[in-house]
Amino acid sequence: MQELIDRRRVPFAVAAAIVAIVALAVVRLPGLFLTQIQQDRPLTAAQAGWVFRLLAAIACGQAVYGGFFALNPDRIKRSRERDEKLGAMPPLDIATSVARNAAGMILLTLVYGIADLFLTGERGGFWLFPLVVVAQATWYYRQVGQIGRWLSFQPAPQGAPMEGTIPEIPSDWAPSIARGLSESPPAG
């Protein structure tokens, strides 16, 4: 059970490192560079304000959707019941996949912030997005842990080999490239 819950750490740690690197890069951007972006932007000051509001609304909407709907244990349960392939996956693989997707959604919010920075040239507006990322990361980390806990109580998929065992290979099996070499060409 603990391994399912611990699977979430690596994707979230990678996402946190990326967020920290981008935030440090934004801090280190020279003011002259940002002034140049502001002067050369295709938007007026009012339009830049609306772009910021739109991107902030999209980022917050995506965070809410991910937390309430995408990373919901009931949704994972329904997906496993509907999709045979997902139902046959081991819980450990599902937990890893959910953690990676959650970390990807967090990084998408950071992409909105970078887009805002380069569209408006205003560093102050960028800092809203890392704040949303921090809130989103804590929320998603908890949700992925809930999904891991739920998966730990699920039975192993039917017909799946146990971990650490090698499936039997038929004695007459050969890779497809070898089959083409061992068969005689058609007469014709």
Side-chain angles (χ1 to χ4, degrees):
M1 176 176 146
Q2 191 62 30
E3 186 178 1
L4 284 170
I5 296 170
D6 290 343
R7 275 293 171 113
R8 64 187 169 158
R9 288 189 180 138
V10 173
F12 280 92
V14 170
I18 291 171
V19 169
I21 290 169
V22 169
L24 183 64
V26 169
V27 167
R28 303 278 302 168
L29 282 176
L32 187 60
F33 177 70
L34 293 174
T35 304
Q36 188 68 33
I37 289 176
Q38 286 177 353
Q39 291 172 353
D40 293 341
R41 68 181 173 205
L43 309 169
T44 65
Q47 291 171 335
W50 281 106
V51 165
F52 168 73
R53 289 180 192 104
L54 179 66
L55 287 172
I58 290 171
C60 291
Q62 177 223 328
V64 168
Y65 175 79
F68 280 124
F69 301 108
L71 297 175
N72 188 341
D74 292 334
R75 184 178 174 126
I76 303 295
K77 178 183 177 184
R78 286 191 305 270
S79 296
R80 284 188 79 196
E81 289 171 354
R82 277 190 240 133
D83 187 7
E84 290 179 19
K85 187 176 178 183
L86 185 62
M89 282 179 68
L92 196 60
D93 292 346
I94 294 172
T96 303
S97 177
V98 168
R100 287 178 184 165
N101 287 332
M105 288 189 286
I106 291 167
L107 292 177
L108 184 59
T109 302
L110 186 66
V111 169
Y112 296 145
I114 294 169
D116 174 65
L117 179 70
F118 284 103
L119 285 174
T120 64
E122 297 172 2
R123 193 182 337 225
F126 169 80
W127 294 114
L128 172 70
F129 296 95
L131 288 175
V132 171
V133 164
V134 169
Q136 187 179 13
T138 55
W139 187 8
Y140 286 11
Y141 190 79
R142 181 185 177 280
Q143 289 294 99
V144 171
Q146 294 287 337
I147 291 169
R149 252 184 233 95
W150 176 78
L151 285 171
S152 68
F153 292 110
Q154 301 309 305
Q158 298 294 341
M162 294 189 61
E163 289 185 34
T165 61
I166 300 173
E168 289 292 321
I169 299 175
S171 60
D172 62 339
W173 180 84
S176 59
I177 193 164
R179 279 185 240 140
L181 294 174
S182 64
E183 296 174 357
S184 59

